[in-house]
Amino acid sequence: MAPNVAIVGAGFGGLCMAIQLERAGIRSYTVFEKAQDLGGTWRDNSYPGAGCDIPSHLYSYSFEKYASWTRRYPEQPEILGYLEHCADKYDIRRKIRFGTEVRRAVFHDSQWRLTTAPDAGDERTETFDVMVLGVGQLNRPRLPDIPGLSDFTGVSFHSARWNHDHDLTGRRVAVIGNGSSAAQFVPRIAEQVERLHVFQRTPNWVIPKPDATFGPLPRLAFRFVPGLQRAYREWIYRYAEATLYPALAQGWSAGLLKKRALRHLRDQVPDPDLRAKLTPDYPPGCKRVVIDSTFYPALVRDNVEVVTDKIVRIRPDGVETTEGLREADTIVYATGFLSTDFLAPMEIVGRGGRSLREQWAGRAEAYLGISVPNFPNMFLLYGPNTNLGHNSIVFMIECQVNHVMSCLPHLTAHGPIEVRPAAMAAWSRQLDAAMDRMVWGGGCQSWYKTPEGRITNNWPGPTTLYRRLTAKPPLPAYQPVADQAVRDAGL
Ligand code: NAP
């Protein structure tokens, strides 16, 4: 009999899982989504200019190619439209329980007991054979630890919770943060506001985004020329793998990446003082490289100031730095996400009453980024060490979903399965060894790292290797729970 599957989250990960179950003829699943709509990060991040710096034809499912992309790099409304198209085509919406947060999941009696909290109504408990968690890494906005946040008397919001009711025309705006999100919305709002102060704590490397539109002709070609979409997608994928990955692995293209970023800065920022402010002192890729051609031109505008003085506090009327006050009536916090606190705030309790939070103890790890010892029949999508700085996360998600699909026959045949502790330990050793050669380790602080400096978010290998590893048959890395329980008991 097909297992009963709970999927948590209706973003790229959860939808991919649901679609593959549908395609396999497994209809015994439920998707829990705490919001009222699907789309995950592409529902939440609706700030002006929100989009993806991975090309459209690669930032989509391989099994659901889409000839309708209107740009080389997709903007948020189009990505959300794509996900809605997928949900509709595979008839997933009927299986999504919107407005229902999963608060707690306990493995008991060979099943996962989920406590769910609907927006309207009381908590409920339901049981499932399998739990797949597709909640993402960048789903909880992080506000900065600056004193006085609540003293501000103007309007403030996080970039991932954009206040569309607040018209920025003629406003004095402070933006705190200068990562990929700020780089996308600053150019859009700079023309509209009276004054814009961009507070930069650390400069980022920026490289151009060679965006272009796809007119009717290329779109027709993508639709009707056999193999064109596949070949184009494959070309973008191979290019990123062959040129960008070696830069992050401090290989042959690292110097080229730096040269390209410095040339971009030189071309777009004529003022040497501003250029100096914007030049990082760590290697490109250590923090996520910003891919954007409009950020620097926005920063050189007369009504825009890049502030590098240390912020002291937020005051009722603006942002105070060591050098004085920048008055503002609006503050946008582009300060990123609580990225290393995987699966929070869900409470997950595995075999023998083990708490996942306690087992991880601030350092999330999972075999293939997917499975955790002591947590049988539980699978993570976009879990620990599966983020990329150079290629499409959707590719990684598909690898993970394929792996989960290959586990299903085993757990159906043998009862709950879990990853062997030895397989987990070997995986962690291999990750550590591979991590040593990557650029993320030294010289910068980033959302890839725990406060202790451990990189819990990024995958350190080529994605071709990840595909190979996740495509391997899951056994013998997994074992039936019954076997491990016998071992635990020392029998
Ligand atoms: P982020 O990269 O984490 O950037 C947060 C910014 O806030 C940084 O500039 C950080 O400075 C600053 N900050 C945080 N706390 C601060 C404080 N107390 N005082 C002053 N500054 C502070 O966040 P993000 O821009 O939202 O991007 C997150 C990730 O989302 C990206 O790296 C990317 O992976 C993804 N994203 C992707 C796209 C895309 O096109 N694919 C677009 C947007 C976002 P420091 O650098 O000094 O810490």
Side-chain angles (χ1 to χ4, degrees):
M1 211 172 76
N4 189 13
V5 183
I7 301 172
V8 185
F12 256 112
L15 287 177
C16 186
M17 188 70 228
I19 292 170
Q20 295 301 17
L21 287 171
E22 286 282 338
R23 293 174 90 202
I26 301 173
R27 306 270 140 71
S28 48
Y29 69 92
T30 304
V31 184
F32 295 96
E33 169 53 61
K34 71 175 173 358
Q36 292 295 343
D37 293 303
L38 56 79
T41 196
W42 296 109
R43 174 202 58 228
D44 291 344
N45 285 274
S46 63
Y47 56 77
C52 186
D53 54 18
I54 301 292
S56 317
H57 285 86
L58 184 59
Y59 198 76
S60 41
Y61 301 129
S62 61
F63 55 83
E64 188 54 40
K65 297 196 183 59
Y66 197 55
S68 313
W69 293 115
T70 61
R71 308 194 71 82
R72 190 182 289 160
Y73 292 91
E75 295 199 341
Q76 177 261 349
E78 210 167 356
I79 304 173
L80 194 55
Y82 170 77
L83 287 172
E84 284 166 352
H85 153 83
C86 293
D88 291 337
K89 175 166 172 182
Y90 294 93
D91 200 13
I92 307 296
R93 281 183 203 269
R94 75 193 198 290
K95 305 290 268 182
I96 306 179
R97 205 95 63 76
F98 288 108
T100 307
E101 183 180 357
V102 175
R103 293 249 168 97
R104 184 175 153 85
V106 179
F107 188 74
H108 180 78
D109 240 357
S110 297
Q111 284 197 310
W112 281 102
R113 263 193 203 172
L114 269 57
T115 305
T116 58
D119 281 352
D122 297 330
E123 281 193 352
R124 279 170 63 174
T125 302
E126 295 166 70
T127 53
F128 294 86
D129 302 314
V130 176
M131 177 167 73
V132 181
L133 300 160
V135 299
Q137 295 189 6
L138 303 172
N139 58 348
R140 290 195 306 141
R142 194 174 76 86
L143 287 174
D145 49 358
I146 301 171
L149 250 60
S150 57
D151 296 344
F152 186 59
T153 51
V155 173
S156 64
F157 49 89
H158 189 275
S159 58
R161 300 288 182 270
W162 196 269
N163 182 346
H164 291 280
D165 296 331
H166 181 61
D167 185 2
L168 291 177
T169 310
R171 302 270 182 193
R172 288 165 301 149
V173 179
V175 171
I176 301 187
N178 61 321
S180 302
S181 299
Q184 291 185 336
F185 73 74
V186 161
R188 299 291 174 106
I189 66 171
E191 294 171 2
Q192 189 189 0
V193 302
E194 181 196 308
R195 188 92 190 117
L196 183 58
H197 305 283
V198 179
F199 289 84
Q200 169 192 285
R201 189 166 62 178
T202 317
N204 280 308
W205 289 104
V206 182
I207 58 172
K209 180 160 94 171
D211 201 6
T213 52
F214 292 126
L217 267 182
R219 294 214 297 274
L220 277 177
F222 280 129
R223 191 174 304 278
F224 294 113
V225 177
L228 180 62
Q229 276 204 72
R230 181 195 298 266
Y232 179 57
R233 179 184 165 100
E234 192 64 21
W235 178 79
I236 309 165
Y237 170 76
R238 298 264 161 220
Y239 179 81
E241 236 19 50
T243 62
L244 281 177
Y245 174 72
L248 303 184
Q250 306 188 81
W252 68 271
S253 54
L256 288 180
L257 180 61
K258 185 168 180 176
K259 267 194 195 148
R260 192 173 175 209
L262 284 172
R263 195 174 61 235
H264 184 52
L265 178 62
R266 226 177 22 245
D267 289 350
Q268 293 201 321
V269 182
D271 173 4
D273 291 338
L274 181 56
R275 263 208 315 267
K277 273 187 183 177
L278 295 171
T279 307
D281 63 357
Y282 57 84
C286 186
K287 295 159 94 72
R288 172 68 149 77
V289 172
V290 172
I291 307 176
D292 200 286
S293 301
T294 56
F295 188 40
Y296 286 151
L299 298 184
V300 301
R301 289 173 61 95
D302 287 342
N303 66 335
V304 177
E305 181 198 20
V306 177
V307 186
T308 53
D309 314 325
K310 189 174 161 35
I311 299 174
V312 177
R313 64 172 58 250
I314 304 296
R315 288 198 1 187
D317 50 351
V319 181
E320 184 184 326
T321 74
T322 45
E323 302 303 311
L325 176 72
R326 299 297 191 291
E327 285 184 2
D329 51 49
T330 306
I331 300 179
V332 184
Y333 295 107
T335 42
F337 300 86
L338 297 162
S339 52
T340 56
D341 208 2
F342 284 81
L343 305 179
M346 247 182 294
E347 187 191 351
I348 300 180
V349 180
R351 198 164 53 74
R354 289 172 180 88
S355 144
L356 184 59
R357 202 138 303 282
E358 282 169 23
Q359 179 165 316
W360 275 347
R363 179 204 150 166
E365 57 174 11
Y367 171 71
L368 300 173
I370 300 174
S371 299
V372 184
N374 301 318
F375 293 80
N377 287 7
M378 178 183 96
F379 303 98
L380 278 66
L381 306 177
Y382 193 22
N385 294 107
T386 63
N387 179 59
L388 302 175
H390 74 286
N391 212 320
S392 172
I393 294 304
V394 183
F395 174 94
M396 301 294 273
I397 286 172
E398 279 195 57
C399 294
Q400 291 147 15
V401 169
N402 290 343
H403 180 81
V404 177
M405 292 302 290
S406 71
C407 287
L408 295 185
H410 297 283
L411 58 88
T412 306
H414 304 290
I417 58 169
E418 68 178 54
V419 67
R420 292 176 193 273
M424 181 70 241
W427 176 255
S428 294
R429 278 196 305 275
Q430 287 159 12
L431 268 186
D432 285 347
M435 211 57 93
D436 283 347
R437 68 164 181 268
M438 301 305 292
V439 70
W440 311 309
C444 78
Q445 190 48 257
S446 76
W447 64 263
Y448 305 153
K449 287 180 184 169
T450 63
E452 295 74 36
R454 184 163 194 98
I455 293 163
T456 50
N457 293 66
N458 282 9
W459 165 242
T463 61
T464 43
L465 173 63
Y466 189 75
R467 173 161 54 188
R468 265 205 314 281
L469 294 171
T470 47
K472 281 206 307 207
L475 301 181
Y478 289 79
Q479 63 193 346
V481 163
D483 295 359
Q484 183 61 35
V486 166
R487 246 177 246 127
D488 286 353
L491 300 172

